[in-house]
């Protein structure tokens, strides 16, 4: 059953739009090769087959590309007045259903303007980001929605240098010179742990993902606020960090929980994939959820409700997030320099299911 406030957008922090003058001489591949002291073939391999280039060389070439502002020149760029009917969507992880739902929201907004989308993963490092930027700029993609987690700021800076319109999605902070859409993950983390405290839990494990991700830190901060507001010591919350937001990382965390001398009575996971992995480990060990240990996720992906024990989660409106980001991007590209940038915040929603509801004592 759903509880808590409905998802609703709020808009604030409007700033004047900014655009580059685009007047610089076009930098060519020979300039990059000369500056990096490598062959033309090496530069081509860095752009097209980065995995075959030694890491130090690849890093040096990418640094020069970034510094010089190099963009590959292709036939589509030579057509004056040509504008692609595609919008790019760059996400942190396409294996996570949250991001596929976000992309579906962008596609809805693009479809309203008779446009299509191209989707890519930009959270794996600078080489991927450089490749996507080169494709987007060389084919004059109309603009991009960036939902690349910790890489969004770095990618946004590169897009800004190349004067490519973009909107940052899933970042709950205003972005300079661009629109952004975020979700209040501090409120979501707070709602999650308040629910567990109301169920009587006083030892709660936080299975978190990479600390470099602002969303992971915000959910942890919201959890700590809930404990503090309840007048309880911070030790109620125990950290169980994970290197990734995946089912396998969650299963590993579940095994670690099983090995603790004093196990927490409830676990709050930074996303549903982690929670599903924890559920697997506990189920295989013969523990009962929620009677032996309660498990809560975050995102409320489609699989949460159909887990072996239906998963309590904090719903983040992924489709609405993508749709709003897409509409802001289309408004930006339509209005040009007169566009006012907005920061929109959507609210999460607690969805309670069986994984945290203890069976009443008889």
């Amino acid at each position: 059953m759903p509880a808590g406030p409905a998802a609703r957008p709020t808009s604030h922090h409007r700033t004047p739009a900014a655009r580059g003058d685009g007047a610089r001489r076009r930098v060519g591949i020979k300039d990059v090769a000369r500056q990096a002291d490598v062959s033309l073939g090496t530069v081509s391999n860095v752009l097209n087959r980065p995995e075959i280039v030694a890491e130090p060389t690849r890093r040096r070439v990418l640094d020069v590309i970034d510094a010089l502002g190099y963009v590959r020149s292709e036939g589509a760029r030579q057509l004056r007045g040509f504008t692609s009917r595609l919008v790019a969507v760059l996400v942190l992880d396409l294996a996570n259903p949250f991001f596929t739902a976000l992309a579906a929201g962008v596609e809805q907004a693009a479809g309203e303007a008779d446009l299509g989308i191209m989707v890519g993963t930009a959270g794996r490092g600078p080489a991927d980001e450089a490749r996507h930027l080169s494709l987007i700029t060389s084919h004059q993609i109309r603009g991009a929605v960036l939902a690349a987690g910790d890489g969004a700021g770095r990618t946004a800076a590169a897009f800004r240098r190349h004067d490519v319109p973009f909107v940052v999605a899933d970042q709950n902070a205003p972005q300079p010179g661009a629109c952004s859409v975020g979700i209040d993950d501090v409120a979501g983390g707070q709602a999650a742990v308040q629910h567990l405290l109301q169920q009587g839990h006083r030892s709660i494990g936080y299975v978190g993902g990479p600390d470099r991700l602002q969303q992971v830190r915000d959910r942890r901060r919201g959890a700590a606020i809930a404990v503090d507001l309840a007048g309880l010591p911070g030790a109620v919350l125990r950290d169980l960090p994970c290197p990734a937001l995946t089912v396998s990382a969650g299963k590993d965390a579940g095994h670690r929980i099983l090995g603790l001398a004093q196990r927490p009575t409830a676990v709050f996971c930074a996303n549903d994939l982690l929670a599903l992995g924890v559920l697997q480990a506990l189920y295989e060990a013969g523990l009962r959820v929620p009677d032996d240990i309660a498990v809560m996720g975050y995102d409320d992906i489609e699989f949460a409700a159909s887990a072996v024990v239906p998963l309590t989660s904090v719903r983040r409106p992924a489709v609405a997030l993508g749709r709003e980001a897409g509409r802001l991007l289309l408004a930006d590209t339509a209005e040009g320099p007169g566009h006012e940038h907005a920061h929109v915040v959507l609210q999460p929603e607690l969805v309670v299911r069986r994984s945290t509801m203890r069976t009443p004592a008889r």
Side-chain angles (χ1 to χ4, degrees), residues 232-253:
L232 297 170
V236 165
L237 204 60
R238 302 166 61 184
D239 287 302
L240 293 157
C242 290
L245 295 165
T246 62
V247 173
S248 60
K251 192 168 185 179
D252 176 71

Side-chain angles (χ1 to χ4, degrees), residues 208-231:
D211 194 56
R212 68 179 186 276
L213 296 176
Q214 184 65 49
Q215 298 92 329
V216 171
R217 298 196 302 271
D218 282 351
R219 291 164 206 177
R220 173 63 171 81
R221 185 154 64 94
I225 289 172
V227 171
D228 185 60
L229 289 177

Side-chain angles (χ1 to χ4, degrees), residues 52-317:
I52 71 170
V53 183
E55 171 62 24
T57 303
R58 184 169 71 244
R59 181 70 266 162
R60 186 167 77 254
V61 172
L62 288 172
D63 286 344
V64 171
I65 286 172
D66 186 58
L68 295 181
Y70 167 71
V71 176
R72 278 187 288 188
S73 176
E74 299 189 21
R77 275 188 81 81
Q78 307 306 319
L79 299 177
R80 289 190 178 274
F82 172 81
T83 303
S84 171
R85 300 198 64 79
L86 288 176
V87 169
V89 186
L90 302 183
V91 301
L92 179 64
D93 181 10
L94 276 172
N96 186 333
F98 173 83
F99 290 107
T100 56
L102 185 154
V106 178
E107 186 174 37
Q108 288 179 12
E112 293 171 2
D114 197 26
L115 301 176
I117 68 169
M118 57 172 280
V119 183
T121 303
R124 291 179 293 193
D128 267 354
E129 291 159 17
R131 180 168 56 84
H132 286 304
L133 177 61
S134 180
L135 285 170
I136 288 167
T137 52
S138 65
H139 292 287
Q140 291 188 303
I141 298 300
R142 186 164 301 226
V145 172
L146 308 180
D150 61 313
R154 182 175 57 241
T155 307
F159 275 49
R160 193 176 289 111
R161 284 195 299 275
H162 290 281
D163 201 27
V164 177
F166 65 90
V167 171
V168 176
D170 198 25
Q171 293 283 308
N172 194 22
Q175 299 294 317
C179 291
S180 56
V181 188
I183 296 174
D184 191 346
D185 284 322
V186 175
Q190 183 176 342
V193 172
Q194 280 177 341
H195 167 70
L196 294 176
L197 294 175
Q198 289 165 1
Q199 296 299 305
H201 296 286
R202 295 297 181 266
S203 176
I204 301 170
Y206 177 60
V207 177
D211 194 56
R212 68 179 186 276
L213 296 176
Q214 184 65 49
Q215 298 92 329
V216 171
R217 298 196 302 271
D218 282 351
R219 291 164 206 177
R220 173 63 171 81
R221 185 154 64 94
I225 289 172
V227 171
D228 185 60
L229 289 177
L232 297 170
V236 165
L237 204 60
R238 302 166 61 184
D239 287 302
L240 293 157
C242 290
L245 295 165
T246 62
V247 173
S248 60
K251 192 168 185 179
D252 176 71
H255 291 146
R256 281 185 280 147
I257 290 167
L258 290 168
L260 293 174
Q262 293 185 324
R263 290 198 296 260
T265 63
V267 175
F268 169 40
C269 300
N271 79 349
D272 287 339
L273 297 181
L274 288 171
L276 292 172
V278 170
L279 275 175
Q280 283 184 16
L282 299 181
Y283 182 79
E284 291 171 2
L287 269 68
R288 299 168 301 164
V289 175
D291 294 332
D292 294 323
I293 184 168
V295 179
M296 170 176 277
Y298 202 97
D299 285 343
D300 196 34
I301 61 175
E302 183 179 355
F303 304 125
S306 57
V308 60
V309 179
L311 186 65
T312 294
S313 188
V314 175
R315 178 177 296 159
R316 297 206 301 156

